[in-house]
Amino acid sequence: MEKTLLYVFDGSDVIIEGITSWLSTCRNFEIVATAQSVSAAIRIIQNAKIEEDQHAIAITELSFRKSGEEQNDSGLEILKAIKDSGKNLRSIVFSSLDEGHNIRKAMSEPYGAKGFVSKTADKNTFIEAIES
């Protein structure tokens, strides 16, 4: 079985390190790239080499505001870049912004997220979202 390629985008290095450390030890996942900013994530998406038959998933947060900063870059920009890229890259939102309107917006036509997992969800729910 081929490994699922994972791209992890979150403003928190703690979240990125936790997810990548955990997922690299279980199942058939390969961490391809990570980014802590919207602009870095978009560059990674633009440069990603994903074959048509590969299973590739981007896991992204919706809010990229750092502690003490007022600006809140939006993960919606990442979702739009993924959708507009035409690459075989599915997106799953992993966010603490788990109110209904955020979920609906992320999964709507302009952005196209294929799943939404709250940061309060358990590990099995997270894995199921990646594997589905």
Side-chain angles (χ1 to χ4, degrees), residues 106-117:
M107 296 179 81
S108 69
E109 178 56 34
Y111 307 109
K114 301 301 181 200
F116 193 105
V117 180

Side-chain angles (χ1 to χ4, degrees), residues 35-90:
Q36 282 187 259
S37 71
V38 170
S39 59
I42 290 172
R43 277 193 305 278
I44 288 168
I45 293 160
Q46 291 169 339
N47 295 319
K49 306 288 187 231
I50 302 167
E51 300 297 323
E52 199 57 40
D53 62 342
Q54 288 180 304
H55 190 215
I57 298 173
I59 301 165
T60 187
E61 168 62 272
L62 287 179
S63 174
F64 278 76
R65 183 176 62 201
K66 299 278 188 192
S67 180
E69 291 182 359
E70 288 185 29
Q71 182 179 352
N72 183 12
D73 289 337
S74 175
L76 292 172
E77 295 173 50
I78 296 171
L79 294 175
K80 186 154 179 22
I82 291 168
K83 189 166 191 314
D84 291 349
S85 75
K87 296 180 181 182
N88 186 30
L89 179 60
R90 285 188 326 121

Side-chain angles (χ1 to χ4, degrees), residues 27 29 60 101:
R27 319 274 182 171
F29 300 128
T60 187
H101 68 279

Side-chain angles (χ1 to χ4, degrees), residues 112-132:
K114 301 301 181 200
F116 193 105
V117 180
S118 172
K119 285 189 175 174
T120 62
D122 61 44
K123 288 180 182 180
N124 290 333
T125 301
F126 187 72
I127 290 289
E128 286 172 16
I130 295 171
E131 292 180 335
S132 63

Side-chain angles (χ1 to χ4, degrees), residues 1-9 23 28-33 48-59 88-92 130:
M1 179 180 189
E2 247 185 81
K3 290 191 174 206
T4 298
L5 306 178
L6 297 177
Y7 297 78
V8 182
F9 309 132
L23 289 178
N28 286 323
F29 300 128
E30 178 182 340
I31 308 301
V32 177
K49 306 288 187 231
I50 302 167
E51 300 297 323
E52 199 57 40
D53 62 342
Q54 288 180 304
H55 190 215
I57 298 173
I59 301 165
N88 186 30
L89 179 60
R90 285 188 326 121
S91 56
I92 296 174
I130 295 171

